[in-house]
Every structure is written in C-alpha cells, then in structure tokens.
Amino acid sequence: MSRAQAAAKKPLRSGWSQVAAEVVRHQDYGAGHRWLDLEVPRTFGRPVPGQFVQLLLRAPAPVLLPRPMSVAAVGERGNRRVLGFLYGPVGSGTRALAQHAEGDRLEVLGPLGQGYPLETPGTPVLVAGGRGVAPLLFAAEALGAAGRRCEFFFGARNKAALVGLEDAHRQLDRHGGRLHLATDDGSKGMRGTVVDLLERAAGRLPPPLVIHACGPHAMLEAVGLWAMRRGSPAFLAMESVMACGTGVCRGCPMPRSPEAKARYLETRGDAPSLLGNAEYAMCCTEGPVFSAGDLDWERVD
C-alpha cells in the first residue's frame, strides 16, 4: 500500500502538542549553517525521522507565523527531551532564530507530518543533498538501533557545501553504515550529482533497494524518477511554506499524480479533508515524506 493509500484509509493522528522550549545549545555548524538544540518536556511526543515541528518565536519578533523545521536528532535528558535542528539563516524568521542564545525560550508545536517508512523491507538507501543530510542521519541512527545497516549517498555543489560531513562519518561508523560522496566540481568524492553516483553504485547493492531522500526539490525529482524507472520504492521529504502545520490553512499544496488522485476519489470522494483534496495533498499532513509515485512532478515547484 502506498503512502497515499494508507493516508486515505486511516484517520489522522493528532498526537501533537504545543509547549515552551528552552535553547540549550546553539552554534555554528559550517557552510553558513547553525545547529540548534531545544529542550522540551518529556510529554512532548517523540518525533520519528522525517517529521517536523513548527517553531514560533516569542514577541517581539519580525515574523508572525511559525517556521517549519525538520527534526535532525532526538535525545533524552531526565524528564526532558532534547530536539536537534540543522538550519540555514536565510530569511527574516531564521535570521531572528539565529540570534537566540542558550536560556532563551520559544514555542514548539509538534511532532507533525508523516516520517520515513524505515520498516520497509530491503536495503535502506539514504540520499541527501546539502543540509538534507540532517533528517537522514537521524534515519541512519534509527536504522542502526534496529540492527539495520544503510547505504548513505551525500551530494553537494562542492566540498564546503557537504554540511556536517565529519558528523556523517562519525555517525555512520557508529551504526555500520557506508558513506558515498559526490560533488558537482569533484572537490570531494565522485565528480557529478548524487544521482549519477547512485546510478553507478546501485548494481553493487543487495536488492531490493528502498530509497529515502531529502534535499532540494530538483534533486528529489531526479531521485524519484530514477527510482520509478527501476521499480524501486522511494520516499522523498518535500519542503513547503507552512503557516499552521496541521492542514487547516491549506498553504502547502502538493499536486497529486493521476494514480494518487484516483485513490483519493475512491476512498474519500471529492470532499476536502485535512489531507487536502483530490487534486492536492497537504505537505504538512500527508507529507512531508511522500512516495515518489504519489506526486505529479510536472507540477511540483
């Protein structure tokens, strides 16, 4: 059953909550990125790889709406839970977030959305572009805890843009995963795209391959189309502007493929829901992780 079929048949879970969080670590992470650790009560649901939260800055702040942020790590500290995030300060909201120091507080809503189906049988192949590495290292940790080894493909424009490369080496060594690198200019790993690297290495990996990917939409489209040509399942974490994160504001539509549209009509009719409608899936509720075949890539921005 595809992600769209499962979502259409099951009621939405509402396991999220909004809590106050405290900044307990906030530091540079290289290539203009920042790493943020937030401490929340243990009652806050434990996110799984691929899920996200909404971060709301307290007033006075330059932005009114919360910012969606993919969870990159989860740890426990007594009766508290620590959530880790990797982000780039590129807009007014994330630039304001970058000014927060240890001890500062903000609001967190989550965990939200659907994560990677890591339980899918096969060889887990994780494909990351740029800062898309963060949720996939979280996924590699979860697979390692379940006694499963992964193949980790990591690509970027150049060596400097391989964000968190040292952490990737350390974590994959710890969990028995294997790291494959590619850069557009050949400054680290194979010269070419991460999909070129995947194409070169795929024949040496034990079938069936199960792809889990995160990165720019152009890379995700290339990975998704590559996987569909091979008949390999692929699950892709999409990005979108999100005002609410719960499907209410309708601000993060993703165009359904004809097959996903037909399944939605069969199971839900033409009535809209928090998942979206027959034409569009909401990225925040049915995603952000979608099966590659559930999206119409001709219409994805």
Side-chain angles (χ1 to χ4, degrees), residues 19-22 38-42 44 79-83 108:
V19 299
E22 179 179 343
L38 294 177
E39 197 173 76
V40 297
R42 195 72 172 265
F44 188 85
N79 65 345
R80 308 288 286 177
R81 179 159 284 153
V82 178
L83 310 180
V108 179

Side-chain angles (χ1 to χ4, degrees), residues 165-185:
L165 180 58
E166 291 185 9
D167 273 356
H169 276 296
R170 279 195 296 270
Q171 290 197 39
L172 291 169
D173 285 347
R174 188 162 63 243
H175 301 300
R178 185 162 53 178
L179 182 61
H180 310 257
L181 299 174
T183 51
D184 294 348
D185 65 358

